[in-house]
Amino acid sequence: MKITSLLVLKINPDGSDPIILANAADVSHFGYFQRSSVKEFIVFVGRTVAKRTPPGQRQSVQHEEYKVHSYNRNGLCVVGFMDDHYPVRSAFSVLNQVLDEYQKNFGDSWRSVSADGAQPWPYLNEALTKFQDPAEADKLLKIQRELDETKIILHKTIDSVLARGEKLDSLVEKSSDLSAASQMFYKQAKKTNQCCTIL
Amino acid sequence: MADHRPVVGAGENPLAELELILESDPLIDEVGFIHPTQLASLSGEEGVDAPGPKNPRFWSRDGKLGISTEVLLPLYKEARRAFFDAVRDFRTRCGSGGDGGDGGVGSEVMKHSRALLLVSSDFGTAWNSRKLVASKEESFSMYMDELRLSELILSYSPKSDQAWSHRRWVIKRIAGQTSSLPEIIMKESELVEKIAERSKMNYRAWNHRCWLVSYMTKERVMYELKESKTWAGLHVADSSCFNYRRRLMTRILEDLCCKDGVSSVDYSFEVYQCWKDELDWDEILIKRYIGREGLWLYRRFLSLCWIRHFTTHAHSTSCNSNYIAEQTTDPSFFLDKELDLVGSSLVVQDDHFDDFQAQALYSTTYILWLAKQMPSPLEIELRQRLTARNMNDLLSEFCPNSSFLCGSSAEDTK
């Protein structure tokens, strides 16, 4: 039961890569040398999923042992990296809460933001710590009724979110979010995740 | 410890370089294999004037050691060769009767096997030669060094069976010879939790913790139960962790039933209370995390032991009955509570994620399983209650394969 990261992004109407408005991540449970790669991947996958979440939609994407949940509210998108076991309903009530808080704090000023991470936002880190326990998120669930309105779309792999003809491998190769080390990390992980290579 | 050291003077031999780093910084607690570009950027952060070689192969700072993936293969080959040479020397020296003065050769074996294990964690021969050398020396500090090395290896290979079993070997060797055993056991237990946080579903780590239980004192067992509760509550999918709780709970029952040990009324009440708390806590989790099989399986264990040891209908299996007689409960009360729980789990609120269906299925199999395991008078009572609550149809709906179980209940009640 773990939230690794929460991101708030601005979706560009012209279809270019979304801009990261705020980003909180807890990578302490990763090995020291993996942490920088993990952070890069969070940014990369976060952008990839957010870009493909149409306005008004909620979706959950399974990516390895993670579930990436995302919710796009009129161009303002929130993405959460939870592990497989974090209850989906609780996850979306956290996302909802984050968006509410964001709009309370910044209003519509995000529409004019044009670069990553321009607004520091301590609340996101607090939320990341607090909602590690899904019981905290469930307290929100009781007040949020809005959740039931739209159905959550589940994707079994990140590839199923991608448009026809797009491939994760080639996105990884092209991405400027990922360093050479991270790309190697990705290839290695892919190799070891294949069945029966070691055992 | 000096801060950073792209080591100079070790020449082209990566093994010598690695061993020099390990020798000079005994506080290294984490190893990682990293891409040359990452290594270069790490070295780059330390300033342009760093006196290291142009092409660094190692990086170490603040107790972290990074090894370039490029150097792994030559390093492994070199380490393996050096290790087998050292072992051969060691054998001949021991064989020729010079077992007293083997310090030099023994330390060569230790030195090279350490480097070898760092790049190949499951190299059984290397672990075994370490055991051989350590058991000849019989020094406490050497055994502590073994625990440290194993921890270092677990930092990058948390599921290495050899590394875990090496720890058990060390503990067996020092048990009864040192007064600091309780402290060591405590640290072991904390280590498992730390590693479990990093690597999910780590059976070997939890298995190690289960093994530790037999070395724990009564008080420690109670303490562990309390301490690991929060963690378990946040990792309900980790069955191994519930298996560990099962081991702890079994242990407190064993302590209670232990014939020669004098268990006080106070202690038996404590155990009773602990068991009751555990059942209540499991119920809270079941209601919070819908459709988790592990929680229901854990409940099977808790309920069955509860019926056997803490209810008045319990048959001969209950031990120490005079102590707990005062606190025993009416089994009917317990059955009602369980049926309430199962009844509420059969309500499917929505079918978005299949979790309510799973919950209904697990609760059904839970209650049917329990019925089969209970002493027969209780089973009949349970079946009557199921019929009275009109739950049989619901049960067979969620668990069609159980019809033969439900069917037998219909016959019983006729």
Side-chain angles (χ1 to χ4, degrees), chain B residues 131-382:
Chain B
K131 290 191 181 93
L132 184 68
V133 174
S135 60
K136 283 195 192 259
E137 296 263 323
E138 283 292 355
S139 90
F140 182 70
S141 70
M142 196 164 201
Y143 284 129
M144 290 300 105
D145 285 344
E146 291 308 289
L147 288 184
R148 253 193 306 280
L149 174 70
S150 148
E151 185 176 344
L152 181 59
I153 283 159
L154 291 171
S155 76
Y156 80 88
S157 176
K159 295 184 178 175
S160 164
D161 209 29
Q162 298 275 358
W164 284 112
S165 79
H166 198 66
R167 307 191 80 79
R168 290 193 281 278
W169 177 80
V170 169
I171 290 168
K172 275 188 213 153
R173 299 289 299 196
I174 55 176
Q177 297 188 13
T178 168
S179 55
S180 54
L181 190 68
E183 196 191 326
I184 292 171
I185 297 294
M186 185 185 82
K187 283 197 180 136
E188 288 293 300
S189 192
E190 288 167 359
L191 175 73
V192 171
E193 189 156 321
K194 196 175 96 189
I195 288 181
E197 182 69 38
R198 285 182 174 195
S199 63
K200 294 197 300 179
M201 319 274 177
N202 191 335
Y203 169 79
R204 289 177 182 91
W206 286 100
N207 188 39
H208 181 69
R209 209 173 184 184
C210 288
W211 180 84
L212 292 171
V213 171
S214 57
Y215 286 89
M216 289 177 188
T217 59
K218 244 190 218 177
E219 293 72 28
R220 182 71 207 172
V221 171
M222 281 293 183
Y223 179 81
E224 288 273 324
L225 266 175
K226 284 194 193 80
E227 275 302 287
S228 64
K229 204 167 192 165
T230 324
W231 200 93
L234 287 174
H235 298 78
V236 290
D238 203 329
S239 211
S240 302
C241 143
F242 282 86
N243 206 19
Y244 174 59
R245 289 191 80 76
R246 195 170 312 183
R247 177 74 191 94
L248 290 169
M249 296 298 279
T250 314
R251 167 70 196 276
I252 61 172
L253 267 191
E254 283 165 14
D255 286 346
L256 187 68
C257 301
C258 172
K259 294 247 161 44
D260 40 324
V262 189
S263 58
S264 62
V265 179
D266 274 354
Y267 184 66
S268 65
F269 181 73
E270 200 182 344
V271 171
Y272 163 83
Q273 191 58 41
C274 181
W275 213 276
K276 193 171 170 303
D277 289 348
E278 196 75 1
L279 272 164
D280 291 344
W281 174 70
D282 185 59
E283 182 171 343
I284 293 173
L285 293 180
I286 281 180
K287 288 179 173 165
R288 182 180 302 157
Y289 304 109
I290 310 291
R292 300 286 166 181
E293 190 170 18
L295 295 173
W296 286 102
L297 294 178
Y298 187 49
R299 193 163 194 84
R300 288 186 185 188
F301 158 76
L302 291 175
S303 298
L304 194 61
C305 286
W306 176 266
I307 291 170
R308 284 190 178 155
H309 295 274
F310 300 104
T311 62
T312 38
H313 276 230
H315 297 277
S316 54
T317 41
S318 170
C319 49
N320 242 344
S321 50
N322 49 335
Y323 284 123
I324 47 176
E326 304 158 41
Q327 299 113 19
T328 46
T329 347
D330 184 5
S332 316
F333 175 72
F334 174 75
L335 287 186
D336 267 332
K337 240 181 132 240
E338 293 311 290
L339 284 171
D340 284 346
L341 174 64
V342 170
S344 68
S345 306
L346 293 175
V347 183
V348 175
Q349 289 178 13
D350 66 60
D351 54 359
H352 285 176
F353 310 115
D354 299 336
D355 49 356
F356 284 107
Q357 260 88 356
Q359 180 91 324
L361 174 64
Y362 299 142
S363 65
T364 307
T365 49
Y366 161 73
I367 202 74
L368 294 175
W369 182 87
L370 203 60
K372 284 279 161 200
Q373 302 293 322
M374 281 190 299
S376 49
L378 264 186
E379 185 188 346
I380 294 168
E381 194 179 336
L382 176 68

Side-chain angles (χ1 to χ4, degrees), chain A residues 1 32-33 85 89 184, chain B residues 30 35 38 234 292 350 355:
Chain A
M1 211 70 61
Y32 179 83
F33 296 102
H85 309 294
R89 288 180 194 82
M184 186 204 73
Chain B
E30 191 176 335
H35 195 258
Q38 190 183 358
L234 287 174
R292 300 286 166 181
D350 66 60
D355 49 356

Side-chain angles (χ1 to χ4, degrees), chain A residues 93 135-145 147:
Chain A
S93 72
E136 287 292 330
D138 289 350
K139 288 181 194 158
L140 302 173
L141 201 60
K142 295 202 172 73
I143 17 177
Q144 297 171 349
R145 282 284 138 243
L147 260 183

